[in-house]
Amino acid sequence: MFYKSNQYLRKATRTHEFYLFLVCIFFAVVLAIASGGRFLSFENVMDMLAGNAALGIMATGLLVVLISGGIDMSFMAVASIAQYVIALFMIHIGGNFLLVFIIAGLIGIVLGLINALLVHRLKAPTIIITIATMNVFYGLLIYFSKGTWLYNFPEWFSNKTPLSTVALPVGVLISTVLLTWWLLRYSNVGRQIFAIGGNLEAAKRIGTKVLGVRMVVYAYMGLMAALGSTIQVYIIQNVAPNSLIGREMEVLAMIVLGGAALTGGRGTVTGTVLGLLLVTMIGNGLVIIGVSSYYHDLVMGVVVLISFCITGLRSSRNKGREVSL
Amino acid sequence: MKQSKWYNQIRKDRDNVVLFAILLAVVVIMSLVSNKFFTASTFQSIAFQFPEMGILTLSMMITMITGGINLSCIATANFVGIIMGILMKAYIPGDSNDIFIVLLIALFGIIISIFVSMLSGVIIAYFQVPAILTTLGMQLLIGGVCLAITRGGIISGFPGSFQFIGNGSILSIPFPMIIFIFCIVVMAIILRRLPLGLHVYMYGSNPVATEFSGVNVKRMLLKVYAISGFFVGMAALVLTSRFNSAAAGYASSYLLQSVLIAVLGGIDPNGGAGRVSGVILAVLLIQIVASGLNMLQVGQYMAMALYGTILLITVSLRTKTNM
């Protein structure tokens, strides 16, 4: 921790996060000039923060899964279920903020544990398993909800002040970021998550309880997905069971942009936050500049693929270095 | 000669026998449950429907044998359909049925499909990005391109000679079926007769060893994705012609189904194993189940959940537990 300051600086400027930070600043400046300053106005920055806090919260969960060497394609389905259940709960029973968060969190954790067990038991790629569970979760949700939208929430939930629209999402986002940072960096489980992501066989040999770690990882993912979707309900004030599905790639892009290895074992919370910033700025910037929404997917696709290529090249270069040493 | 070879193959292979037994059981149960099932018209409609699914599964299959996957196949098929649709609208006036131009456009569509899939291949082979993520990203990108071209609209109303591809029959054999059989033959030749086939299986079971045994792995991956693209192009022809229209979001439910069929047909999702015969049986099975569910009026989303469950069960039976 106690590097000499210039040594620390030199080290910091060589990281992926530093370059990403420069890219973020570059984009911010370009967009600010292109939009005539509107991009950096107070309202817009607050809008961006609140509007993408939900995806950011989910991103911290997916980061943990990616570091453990897996991937979860079902988290948006989990989020949709949690969202729908709490919406039903609020409309028919009531409750309060704390209760809503607890119920959503529990649903997320349970569905996450199902994923963890399946991933652990079945010897197929994680992505195939979670695509299957996504279809099960989502299919059942639409079947039972019949695709109905829910709105008209109780007053304690729907009365938003300008302060709370920003404070609640951003507050939850910051606390989940800090929690994830602590989990990955200082907790015992965090070290084991890196271990099974880096080399599963080696982690088993040193006695890591893989099932336990995976349960923590996927339950954490489920919890974050549920929290994120709760925040989203608060901002949008309605629940459409199909509104979240299909946005997985945006979240994945944030993490991969943030420098997490696609094959597990590497990734930082700082990187993910910067990735969140970049994806948010691109999405918002397109709207502000006045690009038609038909081009949104196209631009996101290009950004995602470029970020994949850069991280792919980087990790293959690192692999080469390890072999030659 | 060919039939006895088939017979021996099925006898040798336990998985295929089991699949065949399930297939028969499903047919029997369906005909007991619904008296509308065991009729000529049902099988007629199945014969028209299952080739498109089968061709898509072939495109998934060859990438899965290498341990990869092609999740962008549906998006690519839609893209090809849209391009072909625009070209046909532009170059074929009103009622004319110029077969030559239609063939030219179809060929162009297949070439585009090959190039788009090869782009995935380049990213996978030269940038070393996992196939799953590459093709997911490509799905987003190609879907975005489709949306940008069509602006959410639908291109429809193609000339009769193009509609024949998906709806016509020759000697009462549906034309899609003929295309499917052609694709099966191509696939079987590639996997069993060409060196590429051997390399594909080798790479799927051990990539590092394959590279060290002198195979140009990168070029091989490019070829694999090009072949996958060829099948996607063929599927796009059948799909676009059968729907008689093209748009960005078509056939999205086929993606999970093709993965499911591939795994059901005995292809190891970790790579290295899988045969064409298993895939054919699995396609038939799923198509019959699908039309049965349709007949029993099980909704689309319940069916989706059901397919997911079947996929999980198959994976758990096909692969040994991880303990």
Side-chain angles (χ1 to χ4, degrees):
Chain A
M1 282 300 247
F2 301 101
Y3 291 110
K4 280 179 190 163
S5 64
N6 64 343
Q7 219 172 357
Y8 184 71
L9 245 171
R10 213 186 302 152
K11 210 164 178 168
T13 52
R14 257 193 243 134
T15 57
H16 177 82
E17 284 79 3
F18 180 72
Y19 290 113
L20 192 60
F21 183 62
L22 292 185
V23 172
C24 281
I25 291 180
F26 171 76
F27 263 96
V29 170
V30 168
L31 287 172
I33 293 170
S35 66
R38 251 183 323 136
F39 178 73
L40 285 179
S41 69
F42 182 73
E43 289 87 9
N44 191 44
V45 171
M46 286 301 130
D47 261 11
M48 279 201 297
L49 279 177
N52 281 280
L55 293 188
I57 293 164
M58 296 179 191
T60 58
L62 191 58
L63 170 70
V64 175
V65 177
L66 224 62
I67 290 175
S68 80
I71 191 166
D72 190 347
M73 298 309 294
S74 71
F75 69 89
M76 280 300 184
V78 173
S80 305
I81 291 179
Q83 205 175 41
Y84 207 79
V85 172
I86 56 156
L88 283 177
F89 180 79
M90 282 190 293
I91 291 171
H92 294 295
I93 300 172
N96 56 42
F97 266 106
L98 190 63
L99 206 56
V100 161
F101 275 108
I102 289 174
I103 292 173
L106 281 178
I107 292 169
I109 289 172
V110 169
L111 295 178
L113 287 177
I114 294 176
N115 272 334
L117 281 175
L118 288 170
V119 165
H120 190 73
R121 290 279 168 188
L122 309 182
K123 207 185 155 192
T126 329
I127 187 152
I128 289 187
I129 295 167
T130 51
I131 285 179
T133 52
M134 174 188 91
N135 278 274
V136 175
F137 294 159
Y138 183 60
L140 290 178
L141 173 68
I142 302 281
Y143 178 76
F144 285 114
S145 69
K146 298 189 178 61
T148 357
W149 289 39
L150 298 176
Y151 34 84
N152 283 338
F153 298 122
E155 236 167 55
W156 54 267
F157 195 79
S158 57
N159 269 354
K160 294 191 292 185
T161 60
L163 179 68
S164 73
T165 18
V166 175
L168 184 68
V170 176
V172 175
L173 176 63
I174 290 174
S175 25
T176 54
V177 164
L178 288 177
L179 179 65
T180 313
W181 179 70
W182 173 83
L183 177 81
L184 289 174
R185 184 136 195 176
Y186 292 108
S187 76
N188 204 350
V189 181
R191 299 283 92 194
Q192 293 178 338
I193 293 171
F194 276 99
I196 68 168
N199 189 334
L200 184 62
E201 205 47 51
K204 272 185 199 161
R205 301 260 165 106
I206 59 168
T208 310
K209 292 194 174 52
V210 179
L211 176 62
V213 178
R214 278 192 173 141
M215 283 171 111
V216 171
V217 168
Y218 287 91
Y220 192 74
M221 169 82 254
L223 176 68
M224 289 305 148
L227 289 186
S229 68
T230 314
I231 294 295
Q232 206 228 9
V233 187
Y234 182 72
I235 294 169
I236 302 180
Q237 290 292 329
N238 70 45
V239 172
N242 60 355
S243 69
L244 284 171
I245 292 286
R247 297 186 74 183
E248 298 92 352
M249 289 307 290
E250 259 173 82
V251 179
L252 189 61
M254 291 171 190
I255 299 157
V256 176
L257 272 172
L262 301 162
T263 43
R266 207 181 57 233
T268 60
V269 178
T270 328
T272 301
V273 171
L274 288 170
L276 164 68
L277 230 92
L278 193 57
V279 169
T280 308
M281 286 201 303
I282 293 169
N284 179 278
L286 287 177
V287 177
I288 289 252
I289 298 177
V291 176
S292 150
S293 65
Y294 290 122
Y295 293 96
H296 193 105
D297 277 1
L298 176 61
V299 175
M300 277 315 300
V302 172
V303 171
V304 167
L305 276 179
I306 289 176
S307 72
F308 283 179
C309 288
I310 292 171
T311 44
L313 267 187
R314 235 164 39 95
S315 62
S316 66
R317 213 174 48 206
N318 286 350
K319 219 182 284 167
R321 205 180 292 146
E322 273 162 31
V323 170
S324 67
L325 276 170
Chain B
M1 163 85 195
K2 207 187 169 199
Q3 207 154 23
S4 72
K5 203 173 161 189
W6 255 90
Y7 182 69
N8 279 333
Q9 198 182 331
I10 288 177
R11 268 191 65 183
K12 260 188 292 178
D13 191 64
R14 197 176 53 90
D15 278 355
N16 282 355
V17 174
V18 171
L19 263 183
F20 196 68
I22 298 174
L23 186 64
L24 283 181
V26 168
V27 171
V28 170
I29 293 170
M30 288 293 176
S31 19
L32 287 180
V33 171
S34 165
N35 54 359
K36 273 181 288 179
F37 181 76
F38 209 82
T39 54
S41 68
T42 310
F43 287 97
Q44 182 78 10
S45 74
I46 287 175
F48 271 102
Q49 276 161 14
F50 96 105
E52 59 199 37
M53 205 56 249
I55 302 170
L56 278 173
T57 311
L58 288 181
S59 82
M60 193 69 88
M61 174 184 178
I62 189 158
T63 57
M64 277 176 89
I65 293 176
T66 65
I69 198 166
N70 187 359
L71 293 175
S72 60
C73 59
I74 304 291
T76 313
N78 283 330
F79 176 64
V80 171
I82 288 167
I83 296 283
M84 288 193 299
I86 290 174
L87 287 177
M88 274 186 285
K89 286 272 167 204
Y91 290 106
I92 300 175
D95 300 326
S96 80
N97 267 329
D98 199 328
I99 293 174
F100 180 67
I101 296 181
V102 166
L103 277 179
L104 216 60
I105 289 173
L107 191 68
F108 183 68
I110 292 173
I111 290 172
I112 285 198
S113 170
I114 291 176
F115 272 108
V116 170
S117 298
M118 268 174 83
L119 183 59
S120 304
V122 168
I123 295 174
I124 293 162
Y126 292 93
F127 291 89
Q128 310 210 333
V129 182
I132 288 167
L133 294 171
T134 307
T135 51
L136 263 181
M138 285 297 281
Q139 185 192 24
L140 185 65
L141 174 64
I142 299 166
V145 174
C146 293
L147 213 55
I149 295 175
T150 60
R151 310 206 138 235
I154 293 171
I155 300 166
S156 63
F158 302 137
S161 49
F162 186 74
Q163 286 184 38
F164 180 79
I165 297 174
N167 304 302
S169 345
I170 294 174
L171 301 173
S172 77
I173 302 170
F175 197 63
M177 192 70 128
I178 295 173
I179 296 180
F180 184 38
I181 291 169
F182 169 70
C183 289
I184 290 171
V185 171
V186 170
M187 187 69 160
I189 289 174
I190 290 169
L191 288 182
R192 300 175 138 243
R193 292 277 177 270
L194 297 186
L196 178 64
L198 186 65
H199 295 163
V200 166
Y201 283 108
M202 277 166 64
Y203 186 80
S205 46
N206 193 335
V208 179
T210 313
E211 192 163 8
F212 283 143
S213 59
V215 178
N216 188 337
V217 173
K218 292 185 167 145
R219 206 184 291 164
M220 187 215 74
L221 280 176
L222 267 188
K223 282 184 203 158
V224 165
Y225 282 87
I227 292 165
S228 178
F230 168 74
F231 289 130
V232 171
M234 292 304 246
L237 278 182
V238 177
L239 281 172
T240 315
S241 159
R242 251 172 52 78
F243 293 158
N244 195 18
S245 62
Y250 276 176
S252 53
S253 65
Y254 281 14
L255 187 62
L256 174 80
Q257 278 190 44
S258 61
V259 177
L260 164 63
I261 292 169
V263 176
L264 197 67
I267 293 166
D268 187 346
N270 295 310
R275 284 161 39 183
V276 181
S277 52
V279 168
I280 298 169
L281 282 175
V283 175
L284 255 174
L285 178 61
I286 286 298
Q287 197 59 55
I288 288 174
V289 169
S291 65
L293 289 178
N294 208 4
M295 221 166 265
L296 298 175
Q297 296 180 330
V298 175
Q300 181 198 348
Y301 290 100
M302 197 62 200
M304 190 171 150
L306 214 60
Y307 290 138
T309 317
I310 299 175
L311 179 55
L312 284 175
I313 294 172
T314 337
V315 167
S316 69
L317 293 178
R318 286 268 180 218
T319 56
K320 293 184 190 80
T321 46
N322 207 5
M323 301 306 288

Short mmCIF file of all heavy atoms in Angstrom, two decimals, chain A residues 262-263 308-320, chain B residues 120-131 133-134 203 211 217-218 221:
data_model
loop_
_atom_site.label_atom_id
_atom_site.label_comp_id
_atom_site.label_asym_id
_atom_site.label_seq_id
_atom_site.Cartn_x
_atom_site.Cartn_y
_atom_site.Cartn_z
N LEU A 262 -12.48 -12.77 -20.05
CA LEU A 262 -13.65 -13.55 -20.42
C LEU A 262 -13.54 -14.97 -19.92
O LEU A 262 -14.52 -15.70 -19.81
CB LEU A 262 -13.80 -13.56 -21.93
CG LEU A 262 -13.95 -12.17 -22.55
CD1 LEU A 262 -13.66 -12.21 -24.02
CD2 LEU A 262 -15.34 -11.66 -22.29
N THR A 263 -12.33 -15.41 -19.61
CA THR A 263 -12.12 -16.79 -19.19
C THR A 263 -12.01 -16.90 -17.68
O THR A 263 -11.72 -17.97 -17.18
CB THR A 263 -10.86 -17.34 -19.85
OG1 THR A 263 -9.84 -16.32 -19.75
CG2 THR A 263 -11.10 -17.66 -21.30
N PHE A 308 -14.54 -6.82 -26.71
CA PHE A 308 -14.17 -8.24 -26.66
C PHE A 308 -12.82 -8.45 -27.32
O PHE A 308 -11.95 -9.15 -26.79
CB PHE A 308 -15.21 -9.09 -27.41
CG PHE A 308 -16.48 -9.31 -26.63
CD1 PHE A 308 -17.52 -10.05 -27.19
CD2 PHE A 308 -16.64 -8.81 -25.36
CE1 PHE A 308 -18.68 -10.26 -26.49
CE2 PHE A 308 -17.80 -9.01 -24.65
CZ PHE A 308 -18.83 -9.74 -25.22
N CYS A 309 -12.64 -7.84 -28.51
CA CYS A 309 -11.40 -8.03 -29.25
C CYS A 309 -10.20 -7.52 -28.45
O CYS A 309 -9.17 -8.18 -28.37
CB CYS A 309 -11.45 -7.31 -30.59
SG CYS A 309 -12.53 -8.09 -31.77
N ILE A 310 -10.37 -6.33 -27.83
CA ILE A 310 -9.24 -5.76 -27.08
C ILE A 310 -8.88 -6.66 -25.91
O ILE A 310 -7.71 -7.01 -25.71
CB ILE A 310 -9.58 -4.34 -26.60
CG1 ILE A 310 -9.67 -3.40 -27.81
CG2 ILE A 310 -8.51 -3.83 -25.64
CD1 ILE A 310 -10.20 -2.04 -27.50
N THR A 311 -9.88 -7.08 -25.11
CA THR A 311 -9.54 -7.93 -23.97
C THR A 311 -9.01 -9.28 -24.44
O THR A 311 -8.12 -9.84 -23.81
CB THR A 311 -10.75 -8.18 -23.05
OG1 THR A 311 -11.87 -8.47 -23.85
CG2 THR A 311 -11.02 -7.02 -22.15
N GLY A 312 -9.56 -9.80 -25.54
CA GLY A 312 -9.07 -11.07 -26.06
C GLY A 312 -7.61 -10.98 -26.44
O GLY A 312 -6.79 -11.82 -26.06
N LEU A 313 -7.26 -9.93 -27.17
CA LEU A 313 -5.87 -9.73 -27.58
C LEU A 313 -4.97 -9.58 -26.37
O LEU A 313 -3.90 -10.16 -26.29
CB LEU A 313 -5.75 -8.47 -28.43
CG LEU A 313 -5.84 -8.62 -29.93
CD1 LEU A 313 -5.52 -7.31 -30.61
CD2 LEU A 313 -4.88 -9.70 -30.40
N ARG A 314 -5.44 -8.78 -25.39
CA ARG A 314 -4.63 -8.52 -24.20
C ARG A 314 -4.33 -9.81 -23.44
O ARG A 314 -3.21 -10.08 -23.07
CB ARG A 314 -5.37 -7.55 -23.28
CG ARG A 314 -4.57 -6.31 -22.93
CD ARG A 314 -5.48 -5.25 -22.37
NE ARG A 314 -6.51 -5.79 -21.49
CZ ARG A 314 -6.40 -5.85 -20.16
NH1 ARG A 314 -5.34 -5.39 -19.58
NH2 ARG A 314 -7.38 -6.33 -19.45
N SER A 315 -5.38 -10.64 -23.26
CA SER A 315 -5.15 -11.85 -22.46
C SER A 315 -4.30 -12.84 -23.23
O SER A 315 -3.50 -13.55 -22.64
CB SER A 315 -6.48 -12.46 -22.02
OG SER A 315 -7.21 -12.86 -23.13
N SER A 316 -4.43 -12.88 -24.58
CA SER A 316 -3.59 -13.83 -25.31
C SER A 316 -2.14 -13.36 -25.28
O SER A 316 -1.22 -14.17 -25.25
CB SER A 316 -4.07 -13.99 -26.74
OG SER A 316 -3.91 -12.80 -27.46
N ARG A 317 -1.94 -12.03 -25.26
CA ARG A 317 -0.57 -11.53 -25.17
C ARG A 317 0.03 -11.88 -23.81
O ARG A 317 1.17 -12.32 -23.70
CB ARG A 317 -0.58 -10.01 -25.36
CG ARG A 317 0.67 -9.49 -26.04
CD ARG A 317 0.52 -8.02 -26.33
NE ARG A 317 0.05 -7.29 -25.18
CZ ARG A 317 -0.62 -6.14 -25.25
NH1 ARG A 317 -0.90 -5.63 -26.41
NH2 ARG A 317 -0.99 -5.51 -24.16
N ASN A 318 -0.79 -11.72 -22.76
CA ASN A 318 -0.30 -12.07 -21.42
C ASN A 318 0.06 -13.54 -21.32
O ASN A 318 1.05 -13.91 -20.71
CB ASN A 318 -1.35 -11.73 -20.37
CG ASN A 318 -1.43 -10.24 -20.14
OD1 ASN A 318 -0.58 -9.51 -20.63
ND2 ASN A 318 -2.44 -9.81 -19.42
N LYS A 319 -0.80 -14.38 -21.95
CA LYS A 319 -0.56 -15.82 -21.91
C LYS A 319 0.80 -16.11 -22.53
O LYS A 319 1.60 -16.86 -21.99
CB LYS A 319 -1.67 -16.53 -22.68
CG LYS A 319 -2.12 -17.82 -22.03
CD LYS A 319 -3.18 -18.50 -22.87
CE LYS A 319 -4.53 -17.83 -22.76
NZ LYS A 319 -5.47 -18.29 -23.79
N GLY A 320 1.07 -15.45 -23.68
CA GLY A 320 2.35 -15.65 -24.34
C GLY A 320 3.51 -15.30 -23.43
O GLY A 320 4.49 -16.03 -23.35
N SER B 120 -17.15 -13.61 -37.54
CA SER B 120 -17.09 -14.23 -36.21
C SER B 120 -15.86 -15.11 -36.10
O SER B 120 -15.14 -15.09 -35.10
CB SER B 120 -18.31 -15.11 -35.95
OG SER B 120 -19.49 -14.40 -36.09
N GLY B 121 -15.62 -15.89 -37.16
CA GLY B 121 -14.46 -16.79 -37.17
C GLY B 121 -13.16 -16.04 -36.98
O GLY B 121 -12.29 -16.46 -36.21
N VAL B 122 -13.03 -14.89 -37.64
CA VAL B 122 -11.81 -14.09 -37.52
C VAL B 122 -11.62 -13.65 -36.07
O VAL B 122 -10.54 -13.77 -35.50
CB VAL B 122 -11.87 -12.85 -38.45
CG1 VAL B 122 -10.76 -11.87 -38.12
CG2 VAL B 122 -11.79 -13.28 -39.90
N ILE B 123 -12.73 -13.16 -35.47
CA ILE B 123 -12.61 -12.68 -34.09
C ILE B 123 -12.25 -13.83 -33.16
O ILE B 123 -11.42 -13.70 -32.26
CB ILE B 123 -13.92 -11.99 -33.65
CG1 ILE B 123 -14.15 -10.74 -34.49
CG2 ILE B 123 -13.86 -11.61 -32.18
CD1 ILE B 123 -15.48 -10.08 -34.26
N ILE B 124 -12.86 -15.00 -33.39
CA ILE B 124 -12.60 -16.15 -32.52
C ILE B 124 -11.17 -16.65 -32.71
O ILE B 124 -10.44 -16.91 -31.74
CB ILE B 124 -13.60 -17.27 -32.80
CG1 ILE B 124 -15.00 -16.84 -32.38
CG2 ILE B 124 -13.21 -18.55 -32.08
CD1 ILE B 124 -16.09 -17.67 -32.98
N ALA B 125 -10.73 -16.76 -33.97
CA ALA B 125 -9.43 -17.37 -34.22
C ALA B 125 -8.28 -16.41 -33.97
O ALA B 125 -7.29 -16.79 -33.34
CB ALA B 125 -9.38 -17.88 -35.67
N TYR B 126 -8.41 -15.17 -34.43
CA TYR B 126 -7.24 -14.28 -34.38
C TYR B 126 -7.23 -13.38 -33.15
O TYR B 126 -6.18 -12.95 -32.72
CB TYR B 126 -7.16 -13.46 -35.66
CG TYR B 126 -6.81 -14.33 -36.84
CD1 TYR B 126 -7.81 -14.88 -37.65
CD2 TYR B 126 -5.49 -14.66 -37.11
CE1 TYR B 126 -7.49 -15.72 -38.70
CE2 TYR B 126 -5.16 -15.50 -38.16
CZ TYR B 126 -6.17 -16.02 -38.96
OH TYR B 126 -5.85 -16.86 -39.99
N PHE B 127 -8.41 -13.07 -32.58
CA PHE B 127 -8.42 -12.26 -31.37
C PHE B 127 -8.59 -13.11 -30.12
O PHE B 127 -8.54 -12.62 -29.01
CB PHE B 127 -9.53 -11.20 -31.44
CG PHE B 127 -9.27 -10.13 -32.45
CD1 PHE B 127 -9.70 -10.28 -33.75
CD2 PHE B 127 -8.58 -8.99 -32.11
CE1 PHE B 127 -9.45 -9.30 -34.70
CE2 PHE B 127 -8.32 -8.00 -33.05
CZ PHE B 127 -8.76 -8.16 -34.34
N GLN B 128 -8.81 -14.40 -30.33
CA GLN B 128 -8.93 -15.36 -29.24
C GLN B 128 -10.00 -14.99 -28.23
O GLN B 128 -9.79 -15.05 -27.02
CB GLN B 128 -7.59 -15.53 -28.54
CG GLN B 128 -6.50 -15.78 -29.57
CD GLN B 128 -5.38 -16.63 -29.06
OE1 GLN B 128 -5.11 -16.66 -27.88
NE2 GLN B 128 -4.76 -17.35 -29.95
N VAL B 129 -11.13 -14.56 -28.74
CA VAL B 129 -12.29 -14.30 -27.90
C VAL B 129 -13.12 -15.58 -27.88
O VAL B 129 -13.28 -16.21 -28.92
CB VAL B 129 -13.14 -13.15 -28.47
CG1 VAL B 129 -14.32 -12.84 -27.59
CG2 VAL B 129 -12.28 -11.91 -28.65
N PRO B 130 -13.64 -16.00 -26.72
CA PRO B 130 -14.47 -17.20 -26.69
C PRO B 130 -15.63 -17.13 -27.68
O PRO B 130 -16.24 -16.06 -27.85
CB PRO B 130 -15.00 -17.23 -25.25
CG PRO B 130 -14.01 -16.48 -24.47
CD PRO B 130 -13.42 -15.45 -25.39
N ALA B 131 -15.90 -18.25 -28.34
CA ALA B 131 -16.90 -18.27 -29.42
C ALA B 131 -18.26 -17.80 -28.93
O ALA B 131 -18.97 -17.08 -29.64
CB ALA B 131 -17.01 -19.68 -29.98
N LEU B 133 -19.09 -15.65 -26.59
CA LEU B 133 -19.21 -14.21 -26.44
C LEU B 133 -19.14 -13.52 -27.80
O LEU B 133 -19.88 -12.57 -28.06
CB LEU B 133 -18.11 -13.70 -25.52
CG LEU B 133 -18.26 -14.20 -24.09
CD1 LEU B 133 -17.04 -13.85 -23.28
CD2 LEU B 133 -19.49 -13.59 -23.47
N THR B 134 -18.26 -14.01 -28.67
CA THR B 134 -18.15 -13.41 -30.00
C THR B 134 -19.50 -13.45 -30.70
O THR B 134 -19.97 -12.44 -31.23
CB THR B 134 -17.15 -14.18 -30.85
OG1 THR B 134 -15.93 -14.27 -30.14
CG2 THR B 134 -16.92 -13.50 -32.17
N TYR B 203 -9.80 -30.87 -32.69
CA TYR B 203 -9.76 -29.57 -32.02
C TYR B 203 -10.77 -29.53 -30.88
O TYR B 203 -10.48 -29.00 -29.80
CB TYR B 203 -10.06 -28.45 -33.02
CG TYR B 203 -9.90 -27.08 -32.44
CD1 TYR B 203 -8.65 -26.51 -32.31
CD2 TYR B 203 -11.00 -26.36 -31.99
CE1 TYR B 203 -8.49 -25.25 -31.76
CE2 TYR B 203 -10.86 -25.10 -31.44
CZ TYR B 203 -9.59 -24.56 -31.32
OH TYR B 203 -9.44 -23.31 -30.77
N GLU B 211 -3.12 -28.17 -32.20
CA GLU B 211 -2.21 -27.15 -32.72
C GLU B 211 -0.79 -27.71 -32.81
O GLU B 211 -0.08 -27.50 -33.79
CB GLU B 211 -2.25 -25.91 -31.82
CG GLU B 211 -1.56 -24.73 -32.46
CD GLU B 211 -1.93 -23.42 -31.81
OE1 GLU B 211 -2.60 -23.46 -30.76
OE2 GLU B 211 -1.55 -22.37 -32.36
N VAL B 217 -4.67 -24.19 -36.87
CA VAL B 217 -5.92 -24.10 -36.13
C VAL B 217 -6.73 -22.89 -36.54
O VAL B 217 -7.95 -22.95 -36.68
CB VAL B 217 -5.61 -24.07 -34.62
CG1 VAL B 217 -6.86 -23.80 -33.85
CG2 VAL B 217 -4.99 -25.37 -34.20
N LYS B 218 -6.04 -21.77 -36.76
CA LYS B 218 -6.76 -20.53 -37.06
C LYS B 218 -7.50 -20.65 -38.38
O LYS B 218 -8.66 -20.29 -38.50
CB LYS B 218 -5.78 -19.37 -37.09
CG LYS B 218 -5.25 -19.11 -35.70
CD LYS B 218 -4.37 -17.92 -35.61
CE LYS B 218 -4.18 -17.60 -34.14
NZ LYS B 218 -2.89 -17.10 -33.81
N LEU B 221 -10.51 -22.90 -37.98
CA LEU B 221 -11.67 -22.24 -37.36
C LEU B 221 -12.40 -21.36 -38.36
O LEU B 221 -13.63 -21.33 -38.41
CB LEU B 221 -11.22 -21.41 -36.15
CG LEU B 221 -10.98 -22.19 -34.88
CD1 LEU B 221 -10.44 -21.28 -33.79
CD2 LEU B 221 -12.25 -22.85 -34.40
#
